[in-house]
Amino acid sequence: MSENPDVTAIRDQIEAWAAAVRAQDMPGILRNRSDDMVMFDVPPPLQLRGIAAYGASWPQFFEASPKPIRFDIMDLQITAGDDVAFAVALMRCAVIEDGDADLDFRLTVGLRKIDGRWIVAPEHHSVPAED
């Protein structure tokens, strides 16, 4: 059984976004994001609103990452309707912290289909709470 074409398109889009992060390719990172998107990220601030704030958040990540940048999708699940979809993933990156340390985190994105393209509106990165 073949995969739903919308699921395939979203999977390709998320994989291209992760590749853009690894390459520090800002146009690729910003591609297919809503101008009024909201992001909840691991480091402060609590929330970012708008594509400009989203773009401005990435240099902090690049500075904290050993080179080459690690930004790997470990597991990706996508549910797509006709014009709304969501994806959840387990991800792994590395940060410079007394040497290189792996950081496992969770990704959740909500997407809307606008003019035939899947656009990310909310994006959420989180790490498990520590006891």
Side-chain angles (χ1 to χ4, degrees), residues 60-96:
Q60 176 184 5
F61 173 76
F62 297 143
E63 291 169 14
S65 298
K67 306 306 182 263
I69 291 178
R70 247 182 106 180
F71 199 78
D72 302 324
I73 301 169
M74 309 308 289
D75 182 48
L76 175 61
Q77 303 296 317
I78 300 163
T79 301
D82 292 335
D83 58 358
V84 177
F86 66 90
V88 295
L90 296 176
M91 307 277 297
R92 178 170 291 149
C93 65
V95 294
I96 301 168

PDB file of all heavy atoms in Angstrom, residues 60-96:
ATOM      1  N   GLN A  60      21.394  31.323  17.640  1.00  0.00           N
ATOM      2  CA  GLN A  60      21.702  30.797  18.976  1.00  0.00           C
ATOM      3  C   GLN A  60      21.934  29.287  18.902  1.00  0.00           C
ATOM      4  O   GLN A  60      22.862  28.759  19.510  1.00  0.00           O
ATOM      5  CB  GLN A  60      20.571  31.130  19.943  1.00  0.00           C
ATOM      6  CG  GLN A  60      20.765  30.549  21.330  1.00  0.00           C
ATOM      7  CD  GLN A  60      19.571  30.810  22.257  1.00  0.00           C
ATOM      8  OE1 GLN A  60      18.552  31.349  21.848  1.00  0.00           O
ATOM      9  NE2 GLN A  60      19.714  30.412  23.498  1.00  0.00           N
ATOM     10  N   PHE A  61      21.095  28.591  18.147  1.00  0.00           N
ATOM     11  CA  PHE A  61      21.272  27.142  17.991  1.00  0.00           C
ATOM     12  C   PHE A  61      22.582  26.833  17.267  1.00  0.00           C
ATOM     13  O   PHE A  61      23.337  25.949  17.681  1.00  0.00           O
ATOM     14  CB  PHE A  61      20.085  26.536  17.225  1.00  0.00           C
ATOM     15  CG  PHE A  61      20.276  25.086  16.892  1.00  0.00           C
ATOM     16  CD1 PHE A  61      20.125  24.106  17.863  1.00  0.00           C
ATOM     17  CD2 PHE A  61      20.652  24.705  15.618  1.00  0.00           C
ATOM     18  CE1 PHE A  61      20.334  22.763  17.566  1.00  0.00           C
ATOM     19  CE2 PHE A  61      20.857  23.369  15.309  1.00  0.00           C
ATOM     20  CZ  PHE A  61      20.694  22.397  16.286  1.00  0.00           C
ATOM     21  N   PHE A  62      22.863  27.566  16.186  1.00  0.00           N
ATOM     22  CA  PHE A  62      24.088  27.317  15.427  1.00  0.00           C
ATOM     23  C   PHE A  62      25.327  27.532  16.292  1.00  0.00           C
ATOM     24  O   PHE A  62      26.286  26.766  16.216  1.00  0.00           O
ATOM     25  CB  PHE A  62      24.147  28.202  14.182  1.00  0.00           C
ATOM     26  CG  PHE A  62      23.041  27.945  13.199  1.00  0.00           C
ATOM     27  CD1 PHE A  62      22.472  28.991  12.503  1.00  0.00           C
ATOM     28  CD2 PHE A  62      22.554  26.672  12.963  1.00  0.00           C
ATOM     29  CE1 PHE A  62      21.443  28.773  11.594  1.00  0.00           C
ATOM     30  CE2 PHE A  62      21.522  26.435  12.063  1.00  0.00           C
ATOM     31  CZ  PHE A  62      20.974  27.497  11.370  1.00  0.00           C
ATOM     32  N   GLU A  63      25.314  28.565  17.116  1.00  0.00           N
ATOM     33  CA  GLU A  63      26.458  28.859  17.995  1.00  0.00           C
ATOM     34  C   GLU A  63      26.650  27.781  19.056  1.00  0.00           C
ATOM     35  O   GLU A  63      27.775  27.527  19.490  1.00  0.00           O
ATOM     36  CB  GLU A  63      26.278  30.227  18.653  1.00  0.00           C
ATOM     37  CG  GLU A  63      26.401  31.387  17.679  1.00  0.00           C
ATOM     38  CD  GLU A  63      25.955  32.713  18.275  1.00  0.00           C
ATOM     39  OE1 GLU A  63      25.802  32.805  19.511  1.00  0.00           O
ATOM     40  OE2 GLU A  63      25.735  33.653  17.487  1.00  0.00           O
ATOM     41  N   ALA A  64      25.574  27.154  19.486  1.00  0.00           N
ATOM     42  CA  ALA A  64      25.640  26.131  20.539  1.00  0.00           C
ATOM     43  C   ALA A  64      25.890  24.733  19.982  1.00  0.00           C
ATOM     44  O   ALA A  64      25.982  23.781  20.751  1.00  0.00           O
ATOM     45  CB  ALA A  64      24.339  26.135  21.339  1.00  0.00           C
ATOM     46  N   SER A  65      26.005  24.613  18.657  1.00  0.00           N
ATOM     47  CA  SER A  65      26.133  23.304  18.024  1.00  0.00           C
ATOM     48  C   SER A  65      27.553  23.042  17.556  1.00  0.00           C
ATOM     49  O   SER A  65      28.158  23.900  16.912  1.00  0.00           O
ATOM     50  CB  SER A  65      25.209  23.228  16.798  1.00  0.00           C
ATOM     51  OG  SER A  65      23.868  23.368  17.178  1.00  0.00           O
ATOM     52  N   PRO A  66      28.085  21.842  17.860  1.00  0.00           N
ATOM     53  CA  PRO A  66      29.375  21.484  17.277  1.00  0.00           C
ATOM     54  C   PRO A  66      29.221  21.325  15.764  1.00  0.00           C
ATOM     55  O   PRO A  66      28.118  21.098  15.266  1.00  0.00           O
ATOM     56  CB  PRO A  66      29.714  20.159  17.950  1.00  0.00           C
ATOM     57  CG  PRO A  66      28.414  19.612  18.422  1.00  0.00           C
ATOM     58  CD  PRO A  66      27.504  20.783  18.661  1.00  0.00           C
ATOM     59  N   LYS A  67      30.327  21.472  15.063  1.00  0.00           N
ATOM     60  CA  LYS A  67      30.281  21.329  13.608  1.00  0.00           C
ATOM     61  C   LYS A  67      30.886  19.979  13.239  1.00  0.00           C
ATOM     62  O   LYS A  67      31.877  19.579  13.821  1.00  0.00           O
ATOM     63  CB  LYS A  67      31.054  22.467  12.938  1.00  0.00           C
ATOM     64  CG  LYS A  67      30.619  23.867  13.370  1.00  0.00           C
ATOM     65  CD  LYS A  67      29.146  24.115  13.217  1.00  0.00           C
ATOM     66  CE  LYS A  67      28.728  25.513  13.607  1.00  0.00           C
ATOM     67  NZ  LYS A  67      28.214  25.686  14.933  1.00  0.00           N
ATOM     68  N   PRO A  68      30.352  19.246  12.287  1.00  0.00           N
ATOM     69  CA  PRO A  68      29.140  19.577  11.558  1.00  0.00           C
ATOM     70  C   PRO A  68      27.911  19.490  12.466  1.00  0.00           C
ATOM     71  O   PRO A  68      27.889  18.734  13.444  1.00  0.00           O
ATOM     72  CB  PRO A  68      29.079  18.530  10.455  1.00  0.00           C
ATOM     73  CG  PRO A  68      29.851  17.359  10.970  1.00  0.00           C
ATOM     74  CD  PRO A  68      30.912  17.941  11.874  1.00  0.00           C
ATOM     75  N   ILE A  69      26.900  20.255  12.113  1.00  0.00           N
ATOM     76  CA  ILE A  69      25.677  20.315  12.922  1.00  0.00           C
ATOM     77  C   ILE A  69      24.931  18.996  12.820  1.00  0.00           C
ATOM     78  O   ILE A  69      24.745  18.452  11.737  1.00  0.00           O
ATOM     79  CB  ILE A  69      24.791  21.485  12.463  1.00  0.00           C
ATOM     80  CG1 ILE A  69      25.479  22.795  12.842  1.00  0.00           C
ATOM     81  CG2 ILE A  69      23.395  21.396  13.071  1.00  0.00           C
ATOM     82  CD1 ILE A  69      24.756  24.035  12.415  1.00  0.00           C
ATOM     83  N   ARG A  70      24.527  18.508  13.975  1.00  0.00           N
ATOM     84  CA  ARG A  70      23.672  17.317  14.055  1.00  0.00           C
ATOM     85  C   ARG A  70      22.250  17.773  14.266  1.00  0.00           C
ATOM     86  O   ARG A  70      21.977  18.565  15.160  1.00  0.00           O
ATOM     87  CB  ARG A  70      24.089  16.464  15.250  1.00  0.00           C
ATOM     88  CG  ARG A  70      24.675  15.148  14.830  1.00  0.00           C
ATOM     89  CD  ARG A  70      25.022  14.336  16.021  1.00  0.00           C
ATOM     90  NE  ARG A  70      24.014  13.279  16.106  1.00  0.00           N
ATOM     91  CZ  ARG A  70      24.007  12.371  17.051  1.00  0.00           C
ATOM     92  NH1 ARG A  70      24.891  12.399  18.011  1.00  0.00           N
ATOM     93  NH2 ARG A  70      23.103  11.443  17.047  1.00  0.00           N
ATOM     94  N   PHE A  71      21.343  17.256  13.458  1.00  0.00           N
ATOM     95  CA  PHE A  71      19.928  17.582  13.584  1.00  0.00           C
ATOM     96  C   PHE A  71      19.184  16.456  12.883  1.00  0.00           C
ATOM     97  O   PHE A  71      18.865  16.533  11.697  1.00  0.00           O
ATOM     98  CB  PHE A  71      19.644  18.946  12.936  1.00  0.00           C
ATOM     99  CG  PHE A  71      18.369  19.591  13.378  1.00  0.00           C
ATOM    100  CD1 PHE A  71      18.289  20.234  14.602  1.00  0.00           C
ATOM    101  CD2 PHE A  71      17.254  19.570  12.567  1.00  0.00           C
ATOM    102  CE1 PHE A  71      17.108  20.855  15.010  1.00  0.00           C
ATOM    103  CE2 PHE A  71      16.068  20.180  12.962  1.00  0.00           C
ATOM    104  CZ  PHE A  71      16.007  20.824  14.182  1.00  0.00           C
ATOM    105  N   ASP A  72      18.968  15.377  13.609  1.00  0.00           N
ATOM    106  CA  ASP A  72      18.497  14.133  13.013  1.00  0.00           C
ATOM    107  C   ASP A  72      17.068  13.806  13.427  1.00  0.00           C
ATOM    108  O   ASP A  72      16.704  13.940  14.596  1.00  0.00           O
ATOM    109  CB  ASP A  72      19.404  12.976  13.437  1.00  0.00           C
ATOM    110  CG  ASP A  72      20.853  13.207  13.043  1.00  0.00           C
ATOM    111  OD1 ASP A  72      21.090  13.780  11.965  1.00  0.00           O
ATOM    112  OD2 ASP A  72      21.746  12.830  13.828  1.00  0.00           O
ATOM    113  N   ILE A  73      16.312  13.347  12.461  1.00  0.00           N
ATOM    114  CA  ILE A  73      14.960  12.843  12.711  1.00  0.00           C
ATOM    115  C   ILE A  73      15.094  11.365  13.064  1.00  0.00           C
ATOM    116  O   ILE A  73      15.576  10.575  12.258  1.00  0.00           O
ATOM    117  CB  ILE A  73      14.068  13.011  11.470  1.00  0.00           C
ATOM    118  CG1 ILE A  73      13.974  14.490  11.077  1.00  0.00           C
ATOM    119  CG2 ILE A  73      12.690  12.402  11.717  1.00  0.00           C
ATOM    120  CD1 ILE A  73      13.346  14.728   9.714  1.00  0.00           C
ATOM    121  N   MET A  74      14.686  11.011  14.277  1.00  0.00           N
ATOM    122  CA  MET A  74      14.800   9.628  14.731  1.00  0.00           C
ATOM    123  C   MET A  74      13.522   8.836  14.436  1.00  0.00           C
ATOM    124  O   MET A  74      13.567   7.652  14.142  1.00  0.00           O
ATOM    125  CB  MET A  74      15.107   9.583  16.229  1.00  0.00           C
ATOM    126  CG  MET A  74      16.295  10.459  16.655  1.00  0.00           C
ATOM    127  SD  MET A  74      17.792  10.172  15.717  1.00  0.00           S
ATOM    128  CE  MET A  74      18.225   8.576  16.346  1.00  0.00           C
ATOM    129  N   ASP A  75      12.384   9.499  14.551  1.00  0.00           N
ATOM    130  CA  ASP A  75      11.086   8.869  14.308  1.00  0.00           C
ATOM    131  C   ASP A  75      10.117   9.970  13.929  1.00  0.00           C
ATOM    132  O   ASP A  75      10.080  11.011  14.609  1.00  0.00           O
ATOM    133  CB  ASP A  75      10.604   8.141  15.569  1.00  0.00           C
ATOM    134  CG  ASP A  75       9.274   7.435  15.355  1.00  0.00           C
ATOM    135  OD1 ASP A  75       9.140   6.717  14.345  1.00  0.00           O
ATOM    136  OD2 ASP A  75       8.374   7.608  16.189  1.00  0.00           O
ATOM    137  N   LEU A  76       9.365   9.792  12.854  1.00  0.00           N
ATOM    138  CA  LEU A  76       8.447  10.820  12.357  1.00  0.00           C
ATOM    139  C   LEU A  76       7.106  10.184  12.043  1.00  0.00           C
ATOM    140  O   LEU A  76       7.043   9.195  11.307  1.00  0.00           O
ATOM    141  CB  LEU A  76       9.042  11.484  11.109  1.00  0.00           C
ATOM    142  CG  LEU A  76       8.194  12.512  10.374  1.00  0.00           C
ATOM    143  CD1 LEU A  76       7.843  13.697  11.272  1.00  0.00           C
ATOM    144  CD2 LEU A  76       8.935  12.993   9.115  1.00  0.00           C
ATOM    145  N   GLN A  77       6.053  10.746  12.612  1.00  0.00           N
ATOM    146  CA  GLN A  77       4.688  10.283  12.370  1.00  0.00           C
ATOM    147  C   GLN A  77       3.865  11.466  11.865  1.00  0.00           C
ATOM    148  O   GLN A  77       3.915  12.552  12.461  1.00  0.00           O
ATOM    149  CB  GLN A  77       4.058   9.735  13.658  1.00  0.00           C
ATOM    150  CG  GLN A  77       4.840   8.604  14.291  1.00  0.00           C
ATOM    151  CD  GLN A  77       4.914   7.371  13.409  1.00  0.00           C
ATOM    152  OE1 GLN A  77       3.920   6.967  12.811  1.00  0.00           O
ATOM    153  NE2 GLN A  77       6.088   6.787  13.315  1.00  0.00           N
ATOM    154  N   ILE A  78       3.090  11.261  10.806  1.00  0.00           N
ATOM    155  CA  ILE A  78       2.336  12.338  10.173  1.00  0.00           C
ATOM    156  C   ILE A  78       0.891  11.904  10.002  1.00  0.00           C
ATOM    157  O   ILE A  78       0.616  10.772   9.573  1.00  0.00           O
ATOM    158  CB  ILE A  78       2.940  12.689   8.798  1.00  0.00           C
ATOM    159  CG1 ILE A  78       4.396  13.140   8.956  1.00  0.00           C
ATOM    160  CG2 ILE A  78       2.106  13.754   8.087  1.00  0.00           C
ATOM    161  CD1 ILE A  78       5.192  13.130   7.687  1.00  0.00           C
ATOM    162  N   THR A  79      -0.014  12.804  10.314  1.00  0.00           N
ATOM    163  CA  THR A  79      -1.438  12.609  10.054  1.00  0.00           C
ATOM    164  C   THR A  79      -1.898  13.781   9.203  1.00  0.00           C
ATOM    165  O   THR A  79      -1.689  14.941   9.582  1.00  0.00           O
ATOM    166  CB  THR A  79      -2.238  12.563  11.368  1.00  0.00           C
ATOM    167  OG1 THR A  79      -1.742  11.491  12.166  1.00  0.00           O
ATOM    168  CG2 THR A  79      -3.711  12.362  11.101  1.00  0.00           C
ATOM    169  N   ALA A  80      -2.490  13.484   8.047  1.00  0.00           N
ATOM    170  CA  ALA A  80      -2.898  14.550   7.130  1.00  0.00           C
ATOM    171  C   ALA A  80      -4.356  14.389   6.733  1.00  0.00           C
ATOM    172  O   ALA A  80      -4.775  13.310   6.319  1.00  0.00           O
ATOM    173  CB  ALA A  80      -2.018  14.537   5.885  1.00  0.00           C
ATOM    174  N   GLY A  81      -5.104  15.488   6.863  1.00  0.00           N
ATOM    175  CA  GLY A  81      -6.450  15.567   6.338  1.00  0.00           C
ATOM    176  C   GLY A  81      -6.400  16.303   5.002  1.00  0.00           C
ATOM    177  O   GLY A  81      -5.343  16.435   4.390  1.00  0.00           O
ATOM    178  N   ASP A  82      -7.535  16.815   4.574  1.00  0.00           N
ATOM    179  CA  ASP A  82      -7.579  17.516   3.289  1.00  0.00           C
ATOM    180  C   ASP A  82      -6.827  18.841   3.325  1.00  0.00           C
ATOM    181  O   ASP A  82      -6.156  19.197   2.366  1.00  0.00           O
ATOM    182  CB  ASP A  82      -9.025  17.765   2.856  1.00  0.00           C
ATOM    183  CG  ASP A  82      -9.736  16.464   2.505  1.00  0.00           C
ATOM    184  OD1 ASP A  82      -9.047  15.488   2.139  1.00  0.00           O
ATOM    185  OD2 ASP A  82     -10.975  16.435   2.603  1.00  0.00           O
ATOM    186  N   ASP A  83      -6.951  19.582   4.450  1.00  0.00           N
ATOM    187  CA  ASP A  83      -6.316  20.903   4.500  1.00  0.00           C
ATOM    188  C   ASP A  83      -5.629  21.211   5.823  1.00  0.00           C
ATOM    189  O   ASP A  83      -5.108  22.305   6.006  1.00  0.00           O
ATOM    190  CB  ASP A  83      -7.327  22.003   4.166  1.00  0.00           C
ATOM    191  CG  ASP A  83      -8.528  22.019   5.093  1.00  0.00           C
ATOM    192  OD1 ASP A  83      -8.612  21.153   5.996  1.00  0.00           O
ATOM    193  OD2 ASP A  83      -9.388  22.894   4.929  1.00  0.00           O
ATOM    194  N   VAL A  84      -5.602  20.249   6.731  1.00  0.00           N
ATOM    195  CA  VAL A  84      -4.917  20.403   8.015  1.00  0.00           C
ATOM    196  C   VAL A  84      -4.162  19.110   8.308  1.00  0.00           C
ATOM    197  O   VAL A  84      -4.655  18.022   8.015  1.00  0.00           O
ATOM    198  CB  VAL A  84      -5.929  20.700   9.155  1.00  0.00           C
ATOM    199  CG1 VAL A  84      -5.230  20.776  10.495  1.00  0.00           C
ATOM    200  CG2 VAL A  84      -6.702  21.979   8.887  1.00  0.00           C
ATOM    201  N   ALA A  85      -2.964  19.257   8.879  1.00  0.00           N
ATOM    202  CA  ALA A  85      -2.152  18.080   9.219  1.00  0.00           C
ATOM    203  C   ALA A  85      -1.332  18.385  10.454  1.00  0.00           C
ATOM    204  O   ALA A  85      -1.167  19.544  10.840  1.00  0.00           O
ATOM    205  CB  ALA A  85      -1.236  17.715   8.050  1.00  0.00           C
ATOM    206  N   PHE A  86      -0.827  17.334  11.068  1.00  0.00           N
ATOM    207  CA  PHE A  86       0.146  17.515  12.141  1.00  0.00           C
ATOM    208  C   PHE A  86       1.198  16.425  12.027  1.00  0.00           C
ATOM    209  O   PHE A  86       0.960  15.362  11.462  1.00  0.00           O
ATOM    210  CB  PHE A  86      -0.500  17.546  13.533  1.00  0.00           C
ATOM    211  CG  PHE A  86      -1.129  16.248  13.964  1.00  0.00           C
ATOM    212  CD1 PHE A  86      -0.401  15.293  14.652  1.00  0.00           C
ATOM    213  CD2 PHE A  86      -2.477  15.994  13.704  1.00  0.00           C
ATOM    214  CE1 PHE A  86      -0.980  14.095  15.057  1.00  0.00           C
ATOM    215  CE2 PHE A  86      -3.063  14.811  14.115  1.00  0.00           C
ATOM    216  CZ  PHE A  86      -2.313  13.858  14.785  1.00  0.00           C
ATOM    217  N   ALA A  87       2.375  16.746  12.531  1.00  0.00           N
ATOM    218  CA  ALA A  87       3.473  15.787  12.539  1.00  0.00           C
ATOM    219  C   ALA A  87       4.132  15.832  13.907  1.00  0.00           C
ATOM    220  O   ALA A  87       4.258  16.903  14.511  1.00  0.00           O
ATOM    221  CB  ALA A  87       4.492  16.126  11.451  1.00  0.00           C
ATOM    222  N   VAL A  88       4.535  14.671  14.380  1.00  0.00           N
ATOM    223  CA  VAL A  88       5.286  14.567  15.632  1.00  0.00           C
ATOM    224  C   VAL A  88       6.536  13.759  15.337  1.00  0.00           C
ATOM    225  O   VAL A  88       6.519  12.821  14.540  1.00  0.00           O
ATOM    226  CB  VAL A  88       4.450  13.922  16.766  1.00  0.00           C
ATOM    227  CG1 VAL A  88       3.277  14.806  17.145  1.00  0.00           C
ATOM    228  CG2 VAL A  88       3.969  12.538  16.389  1.00  0.00           C
ATOM    229  N   ALA A  89       7.627  14.163  15.967  1.00  0.00           N
ATOM    230  CA  ALA A  89       8.890  13.478  15.717  1.00  0.00           C
ATOM    231  C   ALA A  89       9.727  13.449  16.977  1.00  0.00           C
ATOM    232  O   ALA A  89       9.634  14.343  17.822  1.00  0.00           O
ATOM    233  CB  ALA A  89       9.668  14.189  14.607  1.00  0.00           C
ATOM    234  N   LEU A  90      10.536  12.420  17.078  1.00  0.00           N
ATOM    235  CA  LEU A  90      11.622  12.385  18.042  1.00  0.00           C
ATOM    236  C   LEU A  90      12.865  12.789  17.261  1.00  0.00           C
ATOM    237  O   LEU A  90      13.127  12.260  16.176  1.00  0.00           O
ATOM    238  CB  LEU A  90      11.782  10.988  18.639  1.00  0.00           C
ATOM    239  CG  LEU A  90      10.587  10.497  19.452  1.00  0.00           C
ATOM    240  CD1 LEU A  90      10.816   9.056  19.911  1.00  0.00           C
ATOM    241  CD2 LEU A  90      10.324  11.412  20.629  1.00  0.00           C
ATOM    242  N   MET A  91      13.601  13.744  17.805  1.00  0.00           N
ATOM    243  CA  MET A  91      14.747  14.334  17.115  1.00  0.00           C
ATOM    244  C   MET A  91      15.978  14.236  18.006  1.00  0.00           C
ATOM    245  O   MET A  91      15.862  14.064  19.219  1.00  0.00           O
ATOM    246  CB  MET A  91      14.479  15.811  16.803  1.00  0.00           C
ATOM    247  CG  MET A  91      13.192  16.113  16.067  1.00  0.00           C
ATOM    248  SD  MET A  91      13.294  15.910  14.294  1.00  0.00           S
ATOM    249  CE  MET A  91      14.508  17.137  13.838  1.00  0.00           C
ATOM    250  N   ARG A  92      17.139  14.395  17.388  1.00  0.00           N
ATOM    251  CA  ARG A  92      18.395  14.432  18.150  1.00  0.00           C
ATOM    252  C   ARG A  92      19.285  15.492  17.527  1.00  0.00           C
ATOM    253  O   ARG A  92      19.451  15.560  16.318  1.00  0.00           O
ATOM    254  CB  ARG A  92      19.094  13.082  18.121  1.00  0.00           C
ATOM    255  CG  ARG A  92      20.438  13.111  18.876  1.00  0.00           C
ATOM    256  CD  ARG A  92      21.008  11.729  19.058  1.00  0.00           C
ATOM    257  NE  ARG A  92      20.144  11.014  19.997  1.00  0.00           N
ATOM    258  CZ  ARG A  92      19.926   9.704  19.977  1.00  0.00           C
ATOM    259  NH1 ARG A  92      20.506   8.956  19.078  1.00  0.00           N
ATOM    260  NH2 ARG A  92      19.132   9.136  20.865  1.00  0.00           N
ATOM    261  N   CYS A  93      19.834  16.328  18.397  1.00  0.00           N
ATOM    262  CA  CYS A  93      20.843  17.282  17.972  1.00  0.00           C
ATOM    263  C   CYS A  93      22.007  17.159  18.946  1.00  0.00           C
ATOM    264  O   CYS A  93      21.973  16.336  19.859  1.00  0.00           O
ATOM    265  CB  CYS A  93      20.292  18.711  17.920  1.00  0.00           C
ATOM    266  SG  CYS A  93      19.787  19.407  19.499  1.00  0.00           S
ATOM    267  N   ALA A  94      23.031  17.950  18.742  1.00  0.00           N
ATOM    268  CA  ALA A  94      24.164  17.953  19.665  1.00  0.00           C
ATOM    269  C   ALA A  94      24.420  19.393  20.061  1.00  0.00           C
ATOM    270  O   ALA A  94      24.227  20.317  19.268  1.00  0.00           O
ATOM    271  CB  ALA A  94      25.398  17.342  19.027  1.00  0.00           C
ATOM    272  N   VAL A  95      24.811  19.583  21.302  1.00  0.00           N
ATOM    273  CA  VAL A  95      25.132  20.920  21.798  1.00  0.00           C
ATOM    274  C   VAL A  95      26.499  20.886  22.461  1.00  0.00           C
ATOM    275  O   VAL A  95      26.944  19.844  22.939  1.00  0.00           O
ATOM    276  CB  VAL A  95      24.065  21.439  22.792  1.00  0.00           C
ATOM    277  CG1 VAL A  95      22.729  21.653  22.090  1.00  0.00           C
ATOM    278  CG2 VAL A  95      23.891  20.500  23.963  1.00  0.00           C
ATOM    279  N   ILE A  96      27.155  22.030  22.441  1.00  0.00           N
ATOM    280  CA  ILE A  96      28.456  22.157  23.093  1.00  0.00           C
ATOM    281  C   ILE A  96      28.185  22.453  24.563  1.00  0.00           C
ATOM    282  O   ILE A  96      27.620  23.479  24.902  1.00  0.00           O
ATOM    283  CB  ILE A  96      29.281  23.296  22.464  1.00  0.00           C
ATOM    284  CG1 ILE A  96      29.496  23.031  20.987  1.00  0.00           C
ATOM    285  CG2 ILE A  96      30.603  23.467  23.202  1.00  0.00           C
ATOM    286  CD1 ILE A  96      30.033  24.208  20.207  1.00  0.00           C
TER     287      ILE A  96
END
